[in-house]
Amino acid sequence: MAKELPEDGLVLEIASGSGEHAIHFARQFANLDWQPSDREAESLASIEAWRIESGAENLRPAVLLDAASGEWPIELVDAIVCINMVHISPWAATEGLFSGASKSLAAGAPLLLYGPYAETGVAMAETNVAFDLSLRERNPEWGLRRVEDLDELSSGTDLVRTARYEMPANNLALIYRRR
């Protein structure tokens, strides 16, 4: 992921959850300002607690942001990172993510997606098959998304996929860049 992020600037993390990723990345990328966000009050409180405890000067206070919303509190960023949201949210959140990223990213800036995905013609690991089934049982609007569907979604925006990386535990990192 390091080679896909800018050397400096502002990174918006979508769906930061507890805030542990934000702390890790703020420490790892000291030249980047890290902006965590989430739509859940409980997550925002957790992120703030982690932020205060960390003392990381490049970690901003979390902002309320619902990826599905057309209104984002950040206007221009140098990168967007979204870890493990796409499969545990309705498709509308992914649509909002791509729409918001298309509006908020600087030209050439990346949207980095991380998580488990399905790909046509690529056998899915049994653990991902079971995980997908368990997600859909919990909520029929959730589940592993097809990379091809994300690519199609991006075609209606200013984003284009530029990279695909295989990651640990049968995950992928997908990189989309604003044209």
Side-chain angles (χ1 to χ4, degrees):
M1 180 158 90
K3 70 181 184 179
E4 297 292 347
L5 289 173
E7 289 186 30
D8 55 24
L10 177 60
V11 178
L12 172 61
E13 182 183 8
I14 303 291
S16 300
S18 68
E20 293 176 69
H21 287 133
I23 297 296
H24 171 77
F25 291 124
R27 287 179 177 154
Q28 184 175 354
F29 301 105
N31 290 338
L32 292 170
D33 284 328
W34 204 266
Q35 177 62 71
S37 72
D38 209 279
R39 67 179 208 133
E40 302 293 333
E42 183 177 311
S43 293
L44 295 172
S46 176
I47 295 164
E48 184 61 10
W50 278 103
R51 185 184 75 79
I52 291 169
E53 182 179 309
S54 78
E57 292 182 16
N58 63 328
L59 183 59
R60 295 181 173 193
V63 294
L64 177 65
L65 190 153
D66 181 350
S69 168
E71 299 296 320
W72 285 18
I74 306 287
E75 289 188 23
L76 184 64
V77 297
D78 300 295
I80 295 175
V81 172
C82 184
I83 300 169
N84 291 327
M85 181 203 83
V86 171
H87 58 282
I88 53 174
S89 61
W91 182 247
T94 302
E95 292 172 325
L97 173 64
F98 275 76
S99 175
S102 181
K103 294 173 190 171
S104 299
L105 285 169
L111 164 62
L112 294 86
L113 302 181
Y114 182 95
Y117 297 96
E119 294 179 281
T120 301
V122 177
M124 201 170 7
E126 288 185 32
T127 54
N128 280 1
V129 171
F131 183 47
D132 182 53
L133 181 60
S134 73
L135 288 172
R136 293 177 190 282
E137 287 174 350
R138 287 173 42 202
N139 186 327
E141 293 187 32
W142 295 1
L144 273 58
R145 308 301 183 190
R146 290 176 356 105
V147 171
E148 295 82 4
D149 292 340
L150 297 173
D151 290 347
E152 183 177 329
L153 181 60
S154 77
S155 71
T157 69
D158 288 338
L159 301 170
V160 61
R161 183 160 55 96
T162 58
R164 173 198 173 276
Y165 301 99
E166 292 186 15
M167 303 301 286
N170 302 309
N171 288 304
L172 295 175
L174 302 173
I175 313 302
Y176 293 84
R177 289 196 177 267
R178 179 147 185 253
R179 297 175 205 177

